[in-house]
Amino acid sequence: MTERIAQYIAEVQAFQTTDKSELEAFRIKFSGKKGILNEFFAAFKEVPNHQKKEFGQVINSLKVVVEEKIKMIQDFLESREDSNPIYGDLSRPGEPIKIGSRHPISLVKNQITDIFASIGFNVSEGPEIEDDWHNFTALNLPEYHPARDMQDTFFIQTDPDVLLRTHTSSVQVRYMEENKPPIRTISPGRVFRNEAVSSRSHCIFHQVEGLYIDKDVSFADLKQTLLYFTKEMFGKSKIRLRPSYFPFTEPSAEVDIYWGLKTETDYRITKGTGWLEIMGCGMVDPNVLTNCGINAEEYTGFAFGMGIERIAMLLYQISDIRMFYENDVRFLEQFKSSI
Ligand code: PHE
């Protein structure tokens, strides 16, 4: 009997198949109810006591090789199925791809640049780390000018000549230094001011500033350009210009749009007046043109500047400016459907 078992062990060890039904036949032959193993276990009862130990061990080793063989072939067949999923279920739906979304600041910035591009403005950019000349002095803000306090400045280390730009007017200075009129350019970008962070203001924000310089540019051109912009951007066609002060423009004005008083939100955002301030503007001060190498006798121009966050908050009804910088996906995902 021991010899027969040894033969079976050799047979099991030599067994190979890549076919599931052949494996099943093999399993039934050895481990089935009427299989070889059960046959030997039944015969075991008849074995004289003194041989039981030795005989038991041989049957057991047959049992072990059979089980190991079945498991090995099963594992192999399964792994082959896994690594070839393309031949599995071809009707299975594809893996979903996560689609990102543009940041609301970028959406609004793109919208603004598109509107001005349609009336001939190009886009100019400049460095965020600026020198005193481009951020202040060239813009009619000499050292110790009190209006410098209007924009609390971050200086880099202790060098008063190196600072983080407080507005993108600095880009306009660079553009005027490098280009001859006619100039029609807008400068979107990130700016920095040393202000306390709250729901309404932040030490980092974004601006779009515009500049138009040519012969005979007048205040009427400025007003008409802004009217076109507000119509395109907000669908509102009523604006008013309130006298204001900026060192680099003369005269200067603050632009309000008539938002209306239809809903409770309108009341809240316009503080019950229906009017909303959206930007500053004015005719470029001749001193600024001269500082940038443009003949102020020959050319005139206008400039304007607005905060992107403020406009995004208005359009999307966002009540806290800090949301823009927190990178909370629950906030950002809401802008997914936009292009
Ligand atoms: N630079 C001004 C600011 O940051 C905005 C402005 C630009 C005003 C151009 C007038 C003309 O507040």
Side-chain angles (χ1 to χ4, degrees):
M1 198 139 30
T2 319
E3 245 171 59
R4 267 180 60 214
I5 293 180
Q7 273 175 8
Y8 279 130
I9 289 182
E11 184 189 328
V12 171
Q13 279 169 342
F15 179 74
Q16 273 306 342
T17 183
T18 53
D19 184 88
K20 270 187 178 174
S21 49
E22 261 179 46
L23 177 66
E24 182 58 9
F26 173 84
R27 191 191 65 78
I28 291 168
K29 179 176 170 189
F30 285 94
S31 313
K33 244 184 185 173
K34 293 178 184 161
I36 291 163
L37 279 169
N38 276 350
E39 219 175 275
F40 281 121
F41 283 125
F44 181 72
K45 288 176 201 144
E46 318 299 324
V47 172
N49 270 350
H50 68 278
Q51 287 181 0
K52 268 202 160 86
K53 189 178 170 204
E54 186 203 353
F55 188 66
Q57 276 171 351
V58 232
I59 305 181
N60 217 39
S61 55
L62 175 61
K63 188 177 171 226
V64 170
V65 280
V66 169
E67 281 170 355
E68 275 177 358
K69 191 67 167 196
I70 293 174
K71 172 127 184 29
M72 204 183 80
I73 295 176
Q74 254 170 1
D75 284 352
F76 170 74
L77 291 179
E78 271 171 25
S79 75
R80 213 172 54 147
E81 275 170 19
D82 285 352
S83 64
N84 256 338
I86 193 161
Y87 298 120
D89 181 1
L90 289 177
S91 66
R92 237 174 43 187
E95 292 280 322
I97 300 167
K98 259 202 155 209
I99 296 176
S101 53
R102 280 200 203 287
H103 195 279
I105 296 293
S106 300
L107 291 175
V108 173
K109 183 189 82 179
N110 292 347
Q111 235 176 311
I112 298 173
T113 48
D114 283 353
I115 293 171
F116 283 105
S118 71
I119 47 172
F121 282 75
N122 67 7
V123 173
S124 48
E125 282 177 344
E128 293 181 350
I129 299 174
E130 261 301 359
D131 51 35
D132 185 280
W133 169 258
H134 292 96
N135 197 79
F136 291 126
T137 308
L139 288 161
N140 213 19
L141 275 154
E143 217 184 334
Y144 304 120
H145 193 292
R148 283 195 179 204
D149 293 344
M150 281 163 72
Q151 301 180 352
D152 286 333
T153 311
F154 283 116
F155 291 95
I156 301 219
Q157 294 189 335
T158 49
D159 186 345
D161 195 39
V162 188
L163 48 92
L164 296 177
R165 66 181 180 196
T166 57
H167 49 188
T168 51
S169 305
S170 56
V171 182
Q172 305 183 336
V173 174
R174 286 179 182 275
Y175 197 86
M176 284 188 275
E177 285 172 343
E178 281 154 28
N179 296 276
K180 293 203 178 331
I183 289 172
R184 255 178 275 154
T185 188
I186 56 167
S187 325
R190 189 159 59 157
V191 300
F192 309 84
R193 288 187 198 176
N194 194 356
E195 275 173 28
V197 175
S198 73
S199 64
R200 306 292 307 164
S201 69
H202 208 286
C203 55
I204 301 172
F205 60 100
H206 297 75
Q207 277 189 331
V208 176
E209 296 214 359
L211 177 71
Y212 178 30
I213 295 172
D214 204 347
K215 287 177 183 155
D216 302 325
V217 176
S218 71
F219 203 90
D221 296 323
L222 168 61
K223 190 171 176 188
Q224 209 54 38
T225 306
L226 297 181
L227 193 58
Y228 173 78
F229 168 72
T230 47
K231 266 189 205 165
E232 293 290 311
M233 189 76 196
F234 306 103
K236 313 264 182 195
S237 48
K238 200 160 141 188
I239 60 172
R240 78 179 175 196
L241 299 176
R242 260 183 303 114
S244 182
Y245 172 75
F246 298 105
F248 28 88
T249 47
E250 183 59 39
S252 305
E254 216 83 59
V255 183
D256 298 343
I257 55 172
Y258 189 70
W259 194 254
L261 282 174
K262 286 205 193 87
T263 65
E264 217 169 289
T265 321
D266 295 344
Y267 267 89
R268 187 169 46 76
I269 58 180
T270 66
K271 298 194 185 99
T273 64
W275 291 95
L276 200 68
E277 181 191 317
I278 51 157
M279 63 173 119
C281 67
M283 301 306 291
V284 181
D285 193 301
N287 284 345
V288 176
L289 296 177
T290 309
N291 286 342
C292 300
I294 290 173
N295 185 350
E297 298 290 326
E298 200 181 349
Y299 292 103
T300 51
F302 65 71
F304 55 87
M306 63 193 118
I308 302 182
E309 277 79 355
R310 210 179 137 70
I311 293 174
M313 287 168 84
L314 196 63
L315 291 177
Y316 299 117
Q317 298 293 312
I318 297 163
S319 55
D320 193 324
I321 196 171
R322 290 168 289 203
M323 295 299 292
F324 291 122
Y325 316 109
E326 276 167 7
N327 278 337
D328 185 333
V329 285
R330 291 167 302 179
F331 171 71
L332 297 173
E333 268 175 356
Q334 297 177 67
F335 302 92
K336 224 169 206 171
S337 59
S338 316
I339 320 155

